[in-house]
Structure formats: C-alpha cells, structure tokens
Amino acid sequence: MVAVLNKCSSILAGEPSLGTPFSINAINQLTDQSLDLTTSIHWHGIFQKRTNYVDGVSFVTQCPIIPNDTFVYNFNALNQSGTFWYHSHLRNQYCDGLRGAFIIDDPDDPHRNLYDVDNDDTIITLADWYHYLSTNRPAVPAFNSTLINGKSRYPDRPANVSLAVVNVRRYRFRLISISCDPNFTFSIDGHQMTVIEVEGNNVQPLRVDSLEIFAAQRYSVVVNANQPVDNYCKSSLGRGFLQANLTKTGMRALPNAAGRNFSNLNNLAVLHYAGAPDTNPTVDPTVNIPVSKLPLVETNLHPLTPSQRQTPFPAGADININVDVVLYLRSPAQQGVELTIPGGAIGGPHPVHLHGHAFSVVRSAGNDSYNFDTPVIRDVVSIGNASDNVTIRFSTDNPGPWFFHCHIDWHLAAGFAIVFAEDVPDVLRRTLRMASFLA
C-alpha cells in the first residue's frame, strides 16, 4: 500500500503558466490502517505570498486533513515559474509515495532558444523506495531501491525504465530529487548538460557532465541529442561513488548505501534514441567507468539577471544568526537575514530548506570564500561537512510562520527543524480579519 495523489505519484497535472491561480482540492481517502491516515500537502518552492495558511505543513500552518475530509489549497504563485514539486508534510508520509513533480511554465522563458522540447516526458524524478512503510521503519531506515520516474530494477524484479528522445534535438530535462534521504550524482553517458534553472531561478548557462543533487533540490538541464543512434545510460550516482559517472550504457541512479552497484542493470534507466533497438544497452556498466571532468560546482552557478546587491562582508545583514541549536526565531518585516549553518552533524551532509522564500547562498559547502555579488539563489542547500559554515541570506518580505528544516525526512521527524515567525503583527492582523470574515 502506498499513499498517492490523483492515483499517481508523479506529475500532478499539466503545466500551468506563469500567474495561473490554483485551486487544488485535497480529498483524504486513506483507509489502510498501516499508513498514517491524516495528511497535508506542501507545494515545495512556492512562496505562498499572503497565503501562508496553505503552505501545507501539518501542525505549523494547518491541521492535518482527517480521513473522508477535504481541504482546498487556493493560491497564486504570482511571478514564480520553473521546476517545483509537491509532497506530504505529515511525519514521514511522503516516503510512502505521496510526492511528485509540479511544473509552472513561463511562456517568455529567457532560455527558450536553448531547447526544442520541454514537456511531461522530459521530467525526471529521482527517489528512494522502501520495502516497508514509514510507520514501521527501523531505527536507522535504509532504502531498498532507487526510482527513476517511479520505476526501478532490483535483482528479484527487474523493470525497464526508459525515456525516448529524437536525434539532433535539444531537450530540457527537469531533474527533481523527491528523495527522503540519499543524494545522487546525476549524469548521462556520452552527453554533457547545460544547467539553466535552479529551483525556479534562471541561471547563466553552465555546462557540466555531472551534478550532485540533494533531497528536494531541482535543476533544469539542456541535453543535445546529437550522438550516434543508440541506447544510453542516465546516471544518478549516490554519495560515495563519485568516480562512477560516465559510460556509454544508459541512465544511472546509484544510491549512496554501501554495496550498491550497477550489476544486473540495477539502478539504471535508458535514454532511448529514436531508431535505436528496443533493448538494454549492451556495454557492461560496471567496467571502464571514467571520472567526471566537468562536475557541477555550486559556486559556479550565477543568476541570469543580477540580484539585489549584498552587504559585502560576513554578518553584514540586519539580523545575523548562527543556526546551531534553535527551535524558534522571531523576525520583523523587511529585514535582511543572514543565517550561518555549521556542517558536520551526524548523518550529513544535510540539505536544508526554507519555506516561503528563496535565499542567496553567499558561502557554499566546500568553500571558505564568500560571494556577495552574484550568489546562486535557491531554496534547498547542502550544509556540507565539519569544516563548512554555509551562509545564506534572505529578506523578511513574506509574513507568516515558515519552516526551516533538514529535507532528509527521517531527520526532520527527529526534530531537525526551526520555525521562523516572520512579521508577527501582520499575521495577527490578517488572522483577525479572516476570523471576522468567517464569523
């Protein structure tokens, strides 16, 4: 039994355009007593300006939806477009399947001249799958399969996973990690990729041959299908296997758990060129694996258009906070906030997500310098390892209680989270007006 939305755990519905208002009626029809029976849905990456109450976080912005009841998520993403996703935000329920892609199209996409194809078929989700429910997890959960677009191969039940492409066309692949735990290093055998979007934010085109993607992160990459007609491996390589990226065999999704490999075509999917035989790649994916020569480095990502200039020194914001052991923070309106987040916590590197905002990463993991001029803007960042002190900045321009948490879902359930109470007086005024309206 799995928890799903609209009888699927992939794409929500279509591709709405920039400025489209949403009215999504969530009807709780969960009946399996082995699952969590209440639920709520978070629209990951959507700022919910003035609609904090539909951010979908159980016990923070709403009460869970009980069985046979409904909740209507009415919101407008305003000027947001790009690659987002949805998932349950109740306990670890999204690990049981309630997760998927949520795309908002921009008809005036400034990168539109770089690709020919961008549709439901070019959305790629990467996930972990467990052969037990989150309600029956062991003390240290370990996943059994890696899913590429909801499918996987594993020894006792192999399954074909393929994406069809046409020769000499340029494809915008929207890569979304809907993982509960592992990060992946993604690559496509024999092909380079051009990164054009990071979590709803356009970036200057950056060519890479592999990229590390953490839980809840998203990238749009352009891939030119200009190689000889064949079947190629697409790779999502987990922590600890960074050397195994490029072979001319297909798509890879190797998780970071010890003992995982590409034998028996496990953790693989196929990028199928039109005209190629409908078979698996014939090259052994476990041998002659070259090292990536153009891996994505976060500090090489820069906004397509200049962002607001930062105060050019550390601790130069209006509010400066070192996040170590904090449960609740209160911040006034229209202030610049700088968070420094030390790495090295057990179970890392940890990807942290801020609701209601995108933030500037002025210091990235693996780097001891700062970029106050052209930092990448995103909503999930890895805080790295023990020597790291990742630093982000954002503005308190969106009133409400906003969750800030690790997106390794098991860690969130264990308490790796903070609530930011932003512009509390405005929230109280709007709450009183709403109560008066409903009275």
Side-chain angles (χ1 to χ4, degrees):
M1 184 68 179
V2 297
V4 298
L5 186 66
N6 282 359
K7 299 182 180 179
C8 68
S9 55
S10 182
I11 302 163
L12 179 60
E15 289 189 13
S17 294
L18 183 72
T20 299
F22 294 91
S23 183
I24 303 171
N25 190 12
I27 305 171
N28 185 348
Q29 296 178 332
L30 293 170
T31 58
D32 190 328
Q33 295 294 322
S34 60
L35 291 164
D36 284 315
L37 294 182
T38 58
T39 192
S40 66
I41 310 297
H42 172 55
W43 314 98
H44 186 115
I46 303 301
F47 297 153
Q48 301 296 357
K49 289 271 189 177
R50 300 291 177 177
T51 52
N52 171 267
Y53 49 87
V54 293
D55 192 45
V57 184
S58 289
F59 309 112
V60 175
T61 60
Q62 73 169 89
C63 294
I65 310 166
I66 62 174
N68 299 314
D69 205 351
T70 66
F71 186 90
V72 180
Y73 292 91
N74 287 315
F75 61 91
N76 192 319
L78 301 176
N79 62 343
Q80 287 188 266
S81 64
T83 307
F84 308 97
W85 65 300
Y86 68 87
H87 59 85
S88 168
H89 223 306
L90 176 96
R91 299 191 182 95
N92 298 121
Q93 191 178 57
Y94 93 70
C95 303
D96 295 324
L98 213 174
R99 53 187 173 180
F102 185 54
I103 309 301
I104 301 178
D105 182 53
D106 181 359
D108 298 315
D109 179 10
H111 288 308
R112 187 64 186 85
N113 65 314
L114 297 181
Y115 57 88
D116 305 304
V117 181
D118 174 28
N119 55 36
D120 289 357
D121 294 330
T122 59
I123 297 170
I124 301 170
T125 59
L126 306 176
D128 44 355
W129 190 248
Y130 300 80
H131 293 180
Y132 49 83
L133 295 174
S134 66
T135 51
N136 192 35
R137 65 187 183 278
V140 181
F143 58 97
N144 300 92
S145 305
T146 298
L147 305 183
I148 302 178
N149 282 358
K151 297 181 181 179
S152 72
R153 295 177 169 95
Y154 54 97
D156 58 333
R157 190 177 295 173
N160 290 325
V161 187
S162 64
L163 293 177
V165 303
V166 179
N167 289 2
V168 199
R169 299 196 74 187
R170 301 164 303 169
Y171 292 81
R172 176 177 182 162
F173 289 118
R174 295 179 183 264
L175 181 65
I176 308 171
S177 174
I178 59 174
S179 166
C180 282
D181 186 349
N183 65 64
F184 302 96
T185 297
F186 178 83
S187 65
I188 302 176
D189 293 358
H191 297 73
Q192 292 186 345
M193 303 172 284
T194 301
V195 181
I196 60 171
E197 179 224 345
V198 177
E199 294 156 24
N201 301 280
N202 292 314
V203 296
Q204 297 175 22
L206 178 66
R207 183 163 293 185
V208 301
D209 62 14
S210 68
L211 60 85
E212 189 173 22
I213 182 168
F214 289 84
Q217 289 187 329
R218 294 94 63 207
Y219 294 96
S220 282
V221 298
V222 175
V223 175
N224 194 351
N226 58 0
Q227 300 300 306
V229 172
D230 206 340
N231 293 318
Y232 294 85
C233 276
K234 216 162 159 235
S235 168
S236 261
L237 190 64
R239 292 195 299 257
F241 299 87
L242 299 183
Q243 76 284 3
N245 277 351
L246 298 174
T247 67
K248 191 176 178 180
T249 48
M251 306 179 187
R252 304 171 185 267
L254 189 66
N256 61 303
R260 300 293 179 178
N261 54 57
F262 295 126
S263 63
N264 194 37
L265 295 182
N266 292 335
N267 306 303
L268 294 171
V270 179
L271 185 69
H272 179 77
Y273 270 61
D278 189 16
T279 60
N280 290 325
T282 56
V283 176
D284 185 347
T286 66
V287 299
N288 299 323
I289 303 175
V291 176
S292 171
K293 296 179 180 179
L294 286 174
L296 173 65
V297 177
E298 187 174 60
T299 52
N300 290 337
L301 292 167
H302 305 292
L304 183 63
T305 56
S307 56
Q308 183 177 355
R309 182 169 175 78
Q310 306 286 333
T311 307
F313 51 85
D318 300 312
I319 302 171
N320 302 285
I321 303 167
N322 183 61
V323 179
D324 194 355
V325 181
V326 181
L327 297 178
Y328 168 84
L329 290 169
R330 184 165 175 166
S331 56
Q334 304 304 322
Q335 298 287 293
V337 177
E338 177 178 297
L339 300 182
T340 56
I341 314 149
I346 294 173
H350 299 275
V352 293
H353 169 52
L354 176 61
H355 289 226
H357 300 273
F359 47 75
S360 298
V361 184
V362 297
R363 177 174 169 179
S364 294
N367 194 287
D368 59 5
S369 62
Y370 292 82
N371 178 2
F372 297 109
D373 296 321
T374 57
V376 66
I377 301 170
R378 61 188 319 160
D379 60 55
V380 181
V381 68
S382 166
I383 64 173
N385 299 307
S387 60
D388 289 312
N389 202 32
V390 168
T391 305
I392 65 174
R393 287 183 175 179
F394 66 96
S395 297
T396 57
D397 56 3
N398 193 9
W402 299 112
F403 224 15
F404 179 68
H405 62 89
C406 178
H407 225 292
I408 295 176
D409 213 43
W410 313 114
H411 299 173
L412 169 58
F416 195 155
I418 299 170
V419 175
F420 281 93
E422 186 174 324
D423 192 4
V424 173
D426 186 86
V427 175
L428 290 174
R429 283 193 298 271
R430 287 189 292 114
T431 303
L432 290 172
R433 286 198 301 269
M434 184 177 295
S436 175
F437 175 76
L438 295 175

